[in-house]
């Protein structure tokens, strides 16, 4: 029988056995549950070579699960833990570093995490962390230079729950795949209407705003629950019918800021489109796929919105 290697972050609510950890009660807004998996000596830099460790975390129950790396000294109770974390967004344990880096984590999903340390001379080293979600590469999440080995101790995987009940399982991946195995895939045809789609502002209004103010509008189709949203000056959102053709199923909800004059016509048009959608349809005959939104005034053609993801650097991590 595998012994339990989890160090629990000061909470009697957490429980663990072998390589599984769980929480049975719902977390409050001010509570989080943290567990460090101390299986082995941890990842430490060496003076003459790069070293790497790879782990897979499977979410067995629940949602709002976070995974990452930290040392024992930075493990604390609740939000006192400081770490390099992924849970859809990237975080340093308390602050948001990158939003929408990948999907948020819930039951049935897995994350592969590769952390590499490279010597820089003396007590200095750099850290690179790559991630994959359900086997699909997310790329490099953290790239931290000039870290001090006298301040940061041996690194171990962290599992954290900001909701409950929830449960996760961790295992070491051997051999550790190269960083290239975690690269984000290039553009490929979309298989669903769900996701972010973009259209040039000039395709929506005769007099678009200056490009440095807003050059394109991004529409986001959600399936939990089914809805569509966009942002101009305000956030605009409406529910969609869950089944095809995904017609609008209610009025447009919006925040209430007065748009600056260059954005007023564009926001009015986008709101009218969202509020009169009769169908949302995927057209997959182009290289990357197109989204066609039929509405009261015609049909809008959108292309996949490609987001550039840059890794978090050391100066952005508050506790370093």
């Amino acid at each position: 029988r595998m012994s339990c290697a989890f160090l629990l972050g000061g909470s009697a609510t957490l429980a663990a056995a072998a390589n599984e950890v769980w929480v049975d009660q719902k977390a409050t807004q001010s509570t989080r549950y943290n567990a460090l998996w101390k299986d082995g000596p941890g990842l430490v830099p060496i003076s003459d070579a790069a070293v790497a460790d790879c782990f897979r975390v499977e979410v067995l129950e629940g949602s709002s699960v976070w995974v990452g790396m930290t040392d024992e000294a930075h493990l604390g109770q609740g939000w006192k833990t400081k770490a390099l974390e992924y849970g859809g967004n990237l975080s340093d344990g308390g602050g948001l570093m990158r939003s929408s880096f990948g999907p948020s984590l819930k039951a049935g999903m897995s994350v592969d995490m590769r952390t590499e340390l490279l010597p820089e001379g003396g007590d200095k080293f750099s850290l690179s962390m790559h991630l994959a979600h359900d086997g699909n590469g997310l790329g490099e999440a953290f790239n931290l230079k000039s870290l001090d080995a006298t301040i940061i101790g041996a690194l171990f995987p962290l599992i954290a729950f900001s909701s409950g009940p929830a449960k996760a399982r961790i295992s070491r991946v051997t051999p550790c795949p190269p960083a290239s195995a975690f690269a984000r895939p290039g553009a490929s045809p979309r298989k669903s209407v769900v996701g972010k789609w973009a259209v040039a502002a000039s395709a929506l209004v005769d007099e678009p705003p200056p490009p440095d103010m807003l050059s394109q509008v991004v529409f986001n189709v959600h399936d939990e629950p089914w809805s569509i949203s966009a942002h101009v000056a305000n956030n605009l959102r409406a529910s969609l019918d869950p089944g095809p053709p995904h017609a609008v199923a209610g009025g447009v909800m919006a925040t209430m800021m007065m748009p600056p004059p260059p954005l007023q016509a564009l926001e009015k048009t986008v709101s009218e489109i969202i509020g009169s959608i009769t169908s949302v349809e995927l057209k997959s005959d182009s290289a990357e796929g197109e989204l066609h939104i039929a509405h009261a005034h015609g049909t809008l053609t959108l292309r996949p919105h490609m987001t550039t993801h840059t890794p978090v650097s050391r100066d952005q991590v508050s506790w370093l």
Side-chain angles (χ1 to χ4, degrees):
R1 177 181 174 85
M2 183 185 297
S3 61
C4 180
F6 278 106
L7 178 64
L8 307 182
S11 173
T13 308
L14 271 174
N19 61 338
E20 297 181 357
V21 62
W22 62 91
V23 59
D24 289 326
Q25 73 179 45
K26 186 176 181 180
T28 65
Q29 186 176 2
S30 59
T31 303
R32 201 172 75 147
Y33 308 111
N34 309 298
L36 201 65
W37 198 51
K38 293 192 64 178
D39 179 54
L43 185 63
V44 295
I46 58 177
S47 60
D48 58 353
V51 290
D53 222 346
C54 294
F55 300 92
R56 175 171 298 149
V57 176
E58 302 165 86
V59 183
L60 305 178
E61 298 176 20
S63 59
S64 300
V65 179
W66 293 77
V67 302
M69 297 289 285
T70 192
D71 62 0
E72 187 173 344
H74 288 96
L75 177 70
Q77 187 169 1
W79 295 102
K80 294 180 180 179
T81 290
K82 304 300 179 186
L84 307 176
E85 299 181 354
Y86 167 76
N89 300 330
L90 298 179
S91 169
D92 65 356
L96 176 67
M97 302 288 99
R98 294 283 186 277
S99 62
S100 302
F101 189 80
S104 56
L105 303 181
K106 60 184 180 181
M109 294 180 173
S110 67
V111 175
D112 289 350
M113 178 171 57
R114 181 187 195 274
T115 306
E116 183 176 27
L117 308 181
L118 298 97
E120 294 182 353
D123 290 326
K124 300 293 185 180
F125 68 98
S126 60
L127 179 151
S128 175
M129 181 189 292
H130 288 74
L131 299 168
H133 174 271
D134 285 348
N136 299 309
L138 297 177
E140 188 177 34
F142 295 90
N143 189 320
L144 312 180
K145 306 291 188 182
S146 298
L147 299 178
D148 193 333
T150 64
I151 296 175
I152 301 175
L155 295 170
F156 299 93
L158 175 80
I159 298 176
F161 304 109
S162 54
S163 182
K167 185 177 185 179
R169 175 194 299 135
I170 187 170
S171 57
R172 177 173 272 105
V173 177
T174 55
C176 192
S180 59
F182 293 78
R184 277 185 187 267
S188 58
R190 296 279 184 94
K191 298 179 181 179
S192 166
V193 300
V194 175
K196 293 183 178 181
W197 303 84
V199 61
S202 58
L204 296 171
V205 291
D206 293 333
E207 297 184 10
D212 59 350
M213 179 174 283
L214 189 64
S215 62
Q216 64 178 2
V217 177
V218 177
F219 289 76
N220 196 354
V221 180
H222 314 264
D223 62 351
E224 291 185 351
W226 277 92
S227 61
I228 187 168
S229 63
H231 177 83
V232 184
N234 287 284
N235 295 317
L236 310 170
R237 190 181 188 104
S239 297
L240 297 175
D241 286 333
H246 303 303
V248 70
V252 178
M253 297 171 286
T255 52
M256 302 299 290
M257 185 179 77
M258 174 63 73
L263 295 180
Q264 289 177 5
L266 181 60
E267 181 160 293
K268 182 174 183 291
T269 297
V270 172
S271 180
E272 289 174 351
I273 289 172
I274 290 177
S276 64
I277 291 173
T278 56
S279 70
V280 179
E281 185 178 6
L282 181 69
K283 297 292 185 180
S284 57
D285 51 356
S286 65
E288 298 174 7
E290 292 179 348
L291 189 73
H292 289 193
I293 296 179
H295 56 95
H297 306 290
T299 300
L300 185 64
T301 299
L302 301 94
R303 303 300 301 274
H305 175 61
M306 305 304 293
T307 303
T308 300
H309 295 276
T310 56
V312 173
S313 58
R314 181 192 173 181
D315 62 303
Q316 297 171 298
V317 180
S318 61
W319 54 275
L320 292 177

